[in-house]
Amino acid sequence: MRVLLVEDERRLAEAVRHGLTAEGFNVDWADNGVDGLWKAKEQHYDVVVLDIMLPGLNGYKVCEGMRAAGVWTPVLMLTAKDGEYDQADAFDLGADDYLIKPFSFIVLVARLRALVRRGAPERPVALSVGDLSLDPVRHRVERGGTEIALTPREFGLLEFLMRHADEVVTRTQIVEAVWDAAFEGDHNVVEVYIGYLRKKIDQPFGRTSIRTVRGVGYRLVARE
């Protein structure tokens, strides 16, 4: 099993490399983010162990760059950053696991073996409706090549509409999918967010792709 270890602390890297080699892993080492990303993109590995605080490129950028390049090798973040938002950022950018320093070497090996057994996940399919595109992994929306910035809720709403393009979806369906099945607020919030989306993905481009079907719900049309 081939492991790429991207870690700039030499003593820690040597200890991890030695231990993993003893456990039967074949370990390559990079001591900065630039070299780590290059190795991850140019060579095949079964798993990547990636520090966050790296010279050149930080671990977030390395992981993001891997996913953007279509490299879906499982990534375990190994770092001293233990905040909830740090972990959330790592997972949002495509990490598969997160282990905080100081760590148990036994746990590290067990998690690496679990990631290797699981294998590289398939890339989530990017969505396109006409000239509107949405990439779930990169959290990126474009219309005609122009990037559009959306809030997480707007992004979730657009993704749901695009997955049901040319279908009429009700407010209830939208609330259950984008908010929560147990949501107890006013369902008119859907209309508010539909308005937000129209101002971002339609109006600046002279489009009317989000249609209101009176008394029923909404439909995102592929062709206007």
Side-chain angles (χ1 to χ4, degrees):
M1 293 179 284
R2 296 195 68 199
V3 177
L4 173 60
L5 172 63
V6 189
E7 169 61 66
D8 64 323
E9 294 181 36
R10 179 174 293 273
R11 288 186 179 180
L12 176 61
E14 289 179 348
V16 171
R17 188 177 187 180
H18 178 76
L20 291 179
T21 299
E23 291 290 332
F25 292 90
N26 183 357
V27 184
D28 281 355
W29 174 44
D31 63 0
N32 65 82
V34 175
D35 289 345
L37 178 58
W38 183 85
K39 286 177 177 288
K41 291 166 62 176
E42 296 298 322
Q43 301 182 47
H44 170 76
Y45 295 98
D46 296 293
V47 66
V48 175
V49 179
L50 180 61
D51 190 15
I52 291 180
M53 303 302 292
L54 293 166
L57 289 175
N58 65 41
Y60 295 133
K61 292 295 184 182
V62 173
C63 188
E64 184 179 25
M66 289 173 57
R67 299 319 188 211
V71 178
W72 299 100
T73 307
V75 171
L76 183 146
M77 289 289 198
L78 186 64
T79 178
K81 295 174 72 67
D82 61 354
E84 293 179 354
Y85 289 104
D86 296 316
Q87 297 184 47
D89 287 343
F91 288 122
D92 284 343
L93 292 171
D96 299 276
D97 202 353
Y98 196 104
L99 190 58
I100 299 170
K101 300 175 183 177
F103 58 90
S104 162
F105 184 76
I106 294 174
V107 172
L108 172 63
V109 171
R111 290 191 175 187
L112 291 181
R113 293 193 187 281
L115 288 175
V116 171
R117 287 196 301 271
R118 192 182 309 161
E122 293 185 5
R123 174 184 172 87
V125 178
L127 306 173
S128 62
V129 177
D131 64 348
L132 184 65
S133 64
L134 180 149
D135 189 329
V137 173
R138 299 175 67 191
H139 206 81
R140 185 183 181 96
V141 174
E142 294 182 352
R143 169 144 256 168
T146 300
E147 186 172 1
I148 303 170
L150 299 181
T151 68
R153 188 76 72 188
E154 292 165 352
F155 188 92
L157 175 56
L158 180 59
E159 181 176 0
F160 180 76
L161 292 174
M162 291 181 71
R163 291 190 183 279
H164 296 274
D166 286 324
E167 299 176 18
V168 178
V169 291
T170 67
R171 289 184 180 182
T172 299
Q173 288 175 311
I174 292 173
V175 166
E176 290 180 352
V178 182
W179 274 262
D180 191 310
F183 178 74
E184 297 181 351
D186 191 338
H187 282 202
N188 285 333
V189 69
V190 174
E191 184 176 350
V192 173
Y193 274 85
I194 288 290
Y196 293 158
L197 271 186
R198 283 173 170 155
K199 290 179 181 178
K200 292 186 176 182
I201 72 167
D202 277 349
Q203 292 178 13
F205 303 91
R207 306 297 177 81
T208 56
S209 60
I210 301 179
R211 306 287 178 82
T212 299
V213 181
R214 296 194 179 279
V216 183
Y218 302 94
R219 178 175 66 235
L220 179 69
V221 297
R223 296 179 180 273
E224 297 188 52

